């Protein structure tokens, strides 16, 4: 399976057409692309929405969320390698918000645990646990 960012990354140094949501088009060679699909083009020809005005620009940055579509040459499809989709095979190794707390770890050899250290058996956001019966 070819992922969109992998396809765009393999199109670096190739010509591409970018149409924006406002109707403008940019034709140029792709220099860079990041994870937000922001792209940097060089040797760009910009066409107005109506198609009656043209500008030649040496370089151009296009923000990813303004892009309507990208047109990439067919030869780039042969260059892109199939990347396996990364999925979590072993869910036990994946840790979410409920990880172990520092206060539950055993004390190192030869040291006594610090009683004022937060995060212990009291739960919540740390601090020393209070016994409601003794108000301590």
């Amino acid at each position: 399976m070819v992922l969109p960012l992998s396809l765009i990354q393999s199109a670096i140094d190739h010509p591409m057409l970018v149409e924006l949501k406002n109707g403008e088009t940019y034709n140029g060679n792709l220099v860079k692309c990041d994870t937000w699909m922001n792209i940097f083009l060089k040797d760009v020809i910009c066409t107005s929405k109506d198609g009656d005005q043209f500008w030649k620009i040496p370089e151009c940055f296009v923000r990813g969320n303004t892009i309507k579509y990208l047109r990439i040459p067919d030869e780039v499809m042969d260059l892109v390698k199939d990347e396996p989709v990364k999925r979590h095979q072993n869910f036990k190794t994946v840790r979410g918000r409920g990880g172990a707390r520092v206060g539950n770890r055993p004390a190192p050899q030869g040291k006594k645990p610090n009683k004022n250290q937060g995060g212990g058996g009291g739960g919540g956001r740390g601090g020393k646990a209070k016994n409601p019966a003794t108000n301590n």
Side-chain angles (χ1 to χ4, degrees):
M1 178 196 312
V2 178
L3 299 175
L5 285 176
S6 301
L7 178 63
I8 297 171
Q9 288 291 339
S10 63
I12 290 177
D13 294 327
H14 287 85
M16 69 179 345
L17 178 134
V18 180
E19 183 170 335
L20 303 185
K21 293 176 183 176
N22 67 4
E24 294 178 349
T25 60
Y26 292 84
N27 283 293
N29 290 324
L30 180 65
V31 176
K32 261 187 182 176
C33 176
D34 64 11
T35 54
W36 293 277
M37 216 175 285
N38 298 324
I39 59 173
F40 187 74
L41 301 169
K42 66 178 180 181
D43 302 326
V44 182
I45 296 176
C46 176
T47 307
S48 68
K49 181 179 180 178
D50 304 329
D52 57 352
Q53 294 180 333
F54 301 92
W55 299 274
K56 186 167 183 168
I57 307 169
E59 53 190 29
C60 176
F61 177 83
V62 180
R63 186 171 169 157
N65 69 345
T66 63
I67 297 173
K68 182 192 265 184
Y69 73 87
L70 302 170
R71 188 164 189 185
I72 299 172
D74 292 334
E75 63 198 38
V76 174
M77 290 299 288
D78 299 331
L79 296 175
V80 68
K81 56 185 175 189
D82 285 339
E83 291 187 5
V85 177
K86 295 177 185 175
R87 298 195 186 262
H88 299 295
Q89 298 295 330
N90 187 357
F91 292 105
K92 292 181 183 177
T93 61
V94 178
R95 294 187 59 176
R97 293 176 51 127
R101 294 179 296 186
V102 174
N104 288 344
R105 293 184 186 158
Q109 292 283 338
K111 287 188 175 182
K112 293 182 180 178
N114 184 357
K115 291 185 178 184
N116 293 328
Q117 182 177 359
R125 292 188 174 248
K128 195 170 180 181
K130 294 185 179 182
N131 185 349
T134 62
N135 247 351
N136 289 340

